[in-house]
Amino acid sequence: MTKRTKAIIIELIPIVSVISALLLLKRDIDSPFLRIITAIAFIFAFVGFSAFFIGRKLAGEDKTVKILGVLDWIATAIIVGIYALGFFVMAIW
């Protein structure tokens, strides 16, 4: 596996995690197992900014890694926004 391939895989983890976390957040079923899976997906999505730096170090100035890096920062921003929204809702309620 080349460094570029490893960088792309590392960059895809937060993107896939934020999508799965948002889908799991919208679920109707309430089970402890799904709560754990949702928490793990949120953690992986939250560390997207570090995946950006790791991917850049591995692949350098590759265009695919740059685009995925921007998506990693967006994934992190979405997760932070969800938590901020949750805090605001709990403060109002």
Side-chain angles (χ1 to χ4, degrees):
M1 210 184 304
T2 65
K3 286 185 178 183
R4 181 180 182 269
T5 307
K6 289 178 187 177
I8 290 174
I9 291 171
I10 289 170
E11 296 271 348
L12 282 174
I13 291 172
I15 298 167
V16 172
S17 295
V18 77
I19 293 169
S20 63
L22 292 175
L23 291 175
L24 287 170
L25 192 63
K26 183 69 176 123
R27 70 186 186 279
D28 292 333
I29 303 168
D30 189 29
S31 77
F33 177 72
L34 286 178
R35 285 184 192 167
I36 293 171
I37 298 297
T38 305
I40 291 170
F42 269 98
I43 290 169
F44 278 140
F46 183 70
V47 296
F49 64 91
S50 62
F52 167 76
F53 293 116
I54 293 170
R56 277 296 194 95
K57 186 158 179 91
L58 285 175
E61 296 295 321
D62 187 45
K63 190 172 186 168
T64 307
V65 174
K66 283 184 181 179
I67 293 170
L68 289 174
V70 171
L71 293 176
D72 286 341
W73 280 99
I74 292 171
T76 303
I78 288 172
I79 297 303
V80 169
I82 287 174
Y83 276 109
L85 183 65
F87 286 132
F88 287 135
V89 167
M90 293 306 289
I92 293 173
W93 189 34

